[in-house]
Amino acid sequence: MSGDLTQRIAQEHAVAAESLPSAVVAHARRRRAIDALVARGLPTTRDENWRYASLRPLERVRFAPVQGNLNLTQGSLPSAIRGYAPIPGYTRYVFADGRLAAGASGPAAPQAGVTVHAPSRTAATLPSLAPLDRGSEPEGAFELLNEAFAVDSAEIEVASPAGVAPEPIGLEVVFIASASAQQGASYPRLRVTVAPRCQLRLVERHVSLGDEASFVDSMVDVQMHDGASIDHYRVQQLGARATWMDTLSATVGRSATYRLHSIGLGAQAARSTVRVHLRGEGAELALHAVAAGDRQQVLDQYAVVDHAAPHTRTEESFRGIAAGRSRVAFNGKIIVRPGAQGADSNQSLRGLLAGADAEIDVRPQLEIYTDDVRCSHGATAGKLDETMLFYLLSRGLDRDMAQRLLKWAFLEDVVSRIAVVELRTQIEQSLAGQIEELDALKELLHGRPST
Amino acid sequence: MLKIDDLHVTVGGARVLNGLTLEVPQGEVHAIMGPNGSGKSTLAYVLAGRPGYEVTRGSVTYDGRDLLALPPEERARHGVFLGFQYPVEIPGVNNVYLLKAALNAVRKERNQPEVDAFEFLALVREKMRLMRMEESFLSRGVNEGFSGGEKKRNEILQMLVLEPRLAILDETDSGLDIDALKIVAEGVNSLRARERSFVLVTHYQRLLEHVVPDRVHVLVRGRIVKSGDRSLALELERRGYDWLAAEAA
């Protein structure tokens, strides 16, 4: 089946190749990506790291990129994102079905020190910073698929103008999917380079406009030079029928700090592969992931962190809730290479089963090739604590409220790390489900009066 | 106020209460004593509505209402309060705001408006002083990281704020040093009133030195085998439970 599918993808690519912009990915590279994809094939659930993913929707996908004709405006976002609020001081870039939608982006003036361009609209020069050694070539099937078909790209370069102290830059990149998978696929593409000692705050969203069964294959590449820092918030809130395949690769230089927050709420089937290469001495990763599944959703995340230099650090936490008949999985692999002495990693992975037919899988994995490291991990999966529930009921709280409160409390230590207030509020609203109870819940959780 | 008639309860298939009959009139404090495993805590949990306790026979009437027909949250709203033997830690849920939500649940049942935020804080602070609790308890998670004694004082704090009509205190005295015991007893005594009843479940009589009960009942193998006034507790202190167990057999 997988072979037939890659053949079909190659045929669709051959037909579309002419019209795919070389400014986004050179034709020769696209060709190589397709060849590699055909050679390696698509993953199947028999593959060790794809056991929990839902790959069946792929059979019905038309892989050629959808011809976007959405006319988005500034007012389009609130209808795509419940509770959306612009983040003060952030510049927003909106992509519709993979293409920059200038009408919904803004404010127009770029901030000092940041270059953002989308090849579909501008002929600006490519970032001048030398690319870092990623540690590995694009190898994932879905990364290759994006490389072959992408029609546009958000290219972000953050550097400090000469003589100016680096100020944190705030950017929001919103990828909107609107088309059905039968019409064509959407290929969000985001490449980020941060110069030495520069700081970036990046909010990346994947959302739907409408309720089509879209196929979205996103690729994110992050390169951090020495001493750089990024707070990266990734929010997946696609529509209930969408399929999301996602690959993020990050290379973190010496003493650079990458804080990655991943929030998975939407889509019918979502799979995210995260590869972080801690390449320079003292490079740090904090990965905080939340996933809340309901109905028949499948939310699967695979994170590989590669400690390739001394004194690199990883702090990884995952909180997942599976309600209804959903399946939620997090597989966190930590590799410590020879020579990465003094590496330090801590994994705290917890799953909560909130539905009789739901499934939770949390799996920490360690591969250590050097002495003198500190790696600790904890992984638990269980049901809502009955004694906690009874305690709350015995104090007069509604059963519904008590259950929701316990689920929230479970997610709280990860959600509370979202430092962007507008974003945290919106996430909390999504999680609360019923907005009218939000204030009450907030009070109970944070002890902060409703605002 | 509370009328328990011929109550039979099984837990996980095991019979724990075997025809317990007890009446607690309004305004009285009744102590339930008994050896380990006699069913004291089961009685407390059944009255509060904990799942997993199956009533196979008998009835419990509270204020003329069938208590067993109510889910636990409704019992609480109607003024039934259980002070837990092992108060539950709920990290992430704020201690004082849970208390506020609990108070508002009771007020709603009584058709009273939600409590004013400032009045509520003033009330909690006053009761915390009585319980000798530090200000920092306001911002902590429910029982999170509390010592055993702090947890028990937190239960009594909740009781003082909620002002239940029927308070069931399950071994609130266990694990307390003498100073903490006095504080807890003061809290209980401050709430004694004509319209309020207490059921004190305890293994030892030392709490009863500070909270003087109107009646003392001895529970052995799931039934009340002897009732008396306060002197019964002193007799139990002297003689232990064995003689009663032998009598009951």
Side-chain angles (χ1 to χ4, degrees):
Chain A
M1 177 213 83
S2 167
D4 293 350
L5 201 50
T6 50
Q7 285 304 331
R8 179 158 75 74
I9 292 170
Q11 283 161 16
E12 287 193 39
H13 186 259
V15 173
E18 283 289 291
S19 62
L20 296 170
S22 61
V24 175
V25 181
H27 287 301
R29 269 183 69 182
R30 291 183 188 270
R31 184 72 248 164
R32 281 203 301 278
I34 278 293
D35 290 346
L37 179 60
V38 171
R40 76 182 300 292
L42 287 167
T44 75
T45 48
R46 286 188 298 277
D47 294 339
E48 173 68 9
N49 296 319
W50 290 86
R51 286 198 307 200
Y52 307 114
S54 172
L55 297 166
R56 185 155 302 162
L58 294 178
E59 289 164 35
R60 295 191 305 272
V61 172
R62 179 172 178 257
F63 290 93
V66 65
Q67 298 301 317
N69 52 5
L70 272 184
N71 192 12
L72 295 179
T73 63
Q74 296 286 344
S76 302
L77 285 188
S79 57
I81 308 171
R82 186 183 185 186
Y84 179 81
I87 306 164
Y90 279 55
T91 304
R92 185 173 66 217
Y93 295 86
V94 178
F95 288 73
D97 293 318
R99 279 186 186 80
L100 181 69
S105 302
Q111 294 151 282
V114 63
T115 308
V116 179
H117 82 249
S120 70
R121 293 296 172 95
T122 65
T125 51
L126 283 164
S128 53
L129 285 166
L132 297 170
D133 169 21
R134 287 180 50 173
S136 63
E137 279 303 297
E139 56 180 38
F142 293 99
E143 228 173 337
L144 294 167
L145 193 63
N146 183 290
E147 187 108 335
F149 283 108
V151 291
D152 209 346
S153 176
E155 306 274 334
I156 297 170
E157 185 185 325
V158 179
S160 176
V164 177
E167 284 278 314
I169 300 292
L171 296 175
E172 182 178 18
V173 182
V174 183
F175 294 102
I176 299 181
S178 74
S180 80
Q182 279 89 20
Q183 289 174 273
S186 165
Y187 294 98
R189 191 174 168 89
L190 169 61
R191 298 204 300 167
V192 179
T193 307
V194 180
R197 290 176 306 285
C198 288
Q199 301 172 51
L200 172 65
R201 292 171 187 158
L202 175 64
V203 173
E204 174 196 349
R205 296 172 179 274
H206 295 270
V207 297
S208 291
L209 198 61
D211 189 34
E212 291 292 349
S214 307
F215 175 72
V216 181
D217 178 36
S218 53
M219 197 219 80
V220 177
D221 182 68
V222 175
Q223 304 217 350
M224 300 177 65
H225 287 263
D226 296 351
S229 111
I230 300 183
D231 290 284
H232 189 176
Y233 297 95
R234 311 190 76 208
V235 184
Q236 186 275 107
Q237 266 188 300
L238 286 158
R241 298 167 66 213
T243 297
W244 189 53
M245 291 292 162
D246 169 65
T247 314
L248 177 145
S249 306
T251 303
V252 186
R254 186 159 48 84
S255 301
T257 303
Y258 188 31
R259 281 178 290 269
L260 176 60
H261 303 254
S262 146
I263 295 122
L265 304 174
Q268 165 58 42
R271 157 65 185 224
S272 176
T273 304
V274 170
R275 293 177 192 279
V276 179
H277 183 54
L278 298 176
R279 174 181 160 278
E281 180 160 357
E284 285 191 26
L285 168 71
L287 170 57
H288 300 295
V290 168
D294 203 348
R295 304 183 310 277
Q296 299 194 44
Q297 280 180 291
V298 179
L299 306 178
D300 175 30
Q301 189 161 358
Y302 176 51
V304 186
V305 183
D306 196 338
H307 289 252
H311 306 293
T312 42
R313 288 170 55 94
T314 297
E315 186 199 344
E316 182 175 286
S317 52
F318 170 73
R319 299 289 179 270
I321 294 184
R325 304 179 59 188
S326 65
R327 204 160 81 214
V328 173
F330 186 94
N331 184 351
K333 184 170 179 176
I334 305 272
I335 303 169
V336 182
R337 302 279 176 198
Q341 69 275 5
D344 188 336
S345 78
N346 180 42
Q347 289 174 290
S348 159
L349 316 179
R350 293 175 60 196
L352 180 65
L353 214 47
D357 299 311
E359 192 182 323
I360 276 275
D361 299 281
V362 290
R363 190 150 76 109
Q365 282 178 275
L366 279 174
E367 265 181 40
I368 301 176
Y369 300 100
T370 187
D371 297 332
D372 183 28
V373 296
R374 266 187 47 193
C375 296
S376 61
H377 62 80
T380 61
K383 291 185 179 173
L384 219 53
D385 190 307
E386 287 295 328
T387 58
M388 288 186 191
L389 184 61
F390 176 62
Y391 192 80
L392 294 177
L393 295 177
S394 79
R395 296 304 179 247
L397 266 66
D398 275 333
R399 179 171 289 270
D400 239 32
M401 175 80 157
Q403 285 178 336
R404 203 171 301 136
L405 183 61
L406 289 176
K407 288 186 205 169
W408 267 52
F410 175 78
L411 299 177
E412 180 54 15
D413 50 342
V414 173
V415 173
S416 67
R417 292 174 197 263
I418 302 175
V420 182
V421 177
E422 293 75 15
L423 181 65
R424 190 176 62 223
T425 303
Q426 190 253 319
I427 301 297
E428 285 173 343
Q429 284 190 0
S430 304
L431 287 168
Q434 287 171 311
I435 288 169
E436 58 271 28
E437 281 186 18
L438 180 66
D439 285 347
L441 275 171
K442 259 182 167 169
E443 219 177 58
L444 283 158
L445 285 159
H446 309 287
R448 70 174 182 240
S450 18
T451 43
Chain B
M1 164 77 59
L2 179 71
K3 204 166 169 238
I4 304 172
D5 187 36
D6 194 31
L7 189 65
H8 288 66
V9 174
T10 61
V11 184
R15 285 164 53 178
V16 183
L17 297 185
N18 294 299
L20 187 146
T21 297
L22 172 69
E23 189 165 351
V24 182
Q26 191 164 320
E28 291 193 3
V29 175
H30 286 218
I32 309 287
M33 302 186 70
N36 292 329
S38 58
K40 300 191 299 292
S41 285
T42 295
L43 174 62
Y45 281 141
V46 168
L47 293 178
R50 184 173 182 147
Y53 291 76
E54 197 193 345
V55 176
T56 54
R57 205 198 309 170
S59 64
V60 179
T61 315
Y62 164 71
D63 255 358
R65 179 184 279 125
D66 178 6
L67 186 68
L68 300 177
L70 298 177
E73 62 274 27
E74 298 224 355
R75 298 184 196 190
R77 290 174 205 160
H78 283 104
V80 177
F81 177 89
L82 171 64
F84 281 64
Q85 182 181 2
Y86 303 108
V88 183
E89 291 194 27
I90 312 180
V93 174
N94 182 274
N95 196 40
V96 78
Y97 284 93
L98 169 62
L99 189 46
K100 188 173 163 208
L103 180 58
N104 279 330
V106 171
R107 291 176 66 94
K108 194 174 168 188
E109 189 64 41
R110 295 177 191 152
N111 291 318
Q112 291 169 332
E114 290 207 347
V115 64
D116 173 84
F118 290 101
E119 281 173 26
F120 173 73
L121 270 183
L123 173 70
V124 172
R125 287 210 164 95
E126 177 204 326
K127 304 298 183 191
M128 281 173 74
R129 271 194 298 277
L130 193 60
M131 285 293 99
R132 318 271 208 287
M133 287 167 81
E134 285 171 29
E135 189 86 343
S136 69
F137 280 77
L138 285 171
S139 55
R140 286 162 74 175
V142 176
N143 291 315
E144 191 178 5
F146 288 19
S147 72
E150 286 168 343
K151 284 179 182 172
K152 295 297 177 68
R153 274 186 278 166
N154 195 39
E155 294 291 288
I156 300 302
L157 171 73
Q158 294 182 7
M159 182 183 77
L160 294 180
V161 171
L162 296 176
E163 298 187 330
R165 300 200 52 234
L166 172 66
I168 305 145
L169 302 182
D170 187 8
E171 303 213 17
T172 298
D173 53 335
S174 70
L176 293 184
D177 62 30
I178 188 67
D179 292 331
L181 184 74
K182 278 184 185 159
I183 292 168
V184 162
E186 253 174 66
V188 174
N189 285 330
S190 76
L191 213 59
R192 285 183 81 151
R194 249 206 321 241
E195 70 278 6
R196 184 169 296 119
S197 308
F198 288 83
V199 174
L200 305 180
V201 172
T202 178
H203 188 74
Y204 304 102
Q205 73 88 35
R206 61 173 197 163
L207 175 67
L208 309 182
E209 286 174 12
H210 304 281
V211 183
V212 179
D214 296 297
R215 298 284 288 168
V216 174
H217 309 277
V218 185
L219 190 59
V220 175
R221 287 191 218 103
R223 36 193 319 175
I224 305 282
V225 296
K226 199 171 182 64
S227 300
D229 61 14
R230 196 189 156 220
S231 62
L232 176 58
L234 295 169
E235 189 178 2
L236 289 169
E237 178 85 348
R238 225 173 35 246
R239 299 179 63 186
Y241 290 109
D242 286 351
W243 60 284
L244 279 170
E247 265 180 26

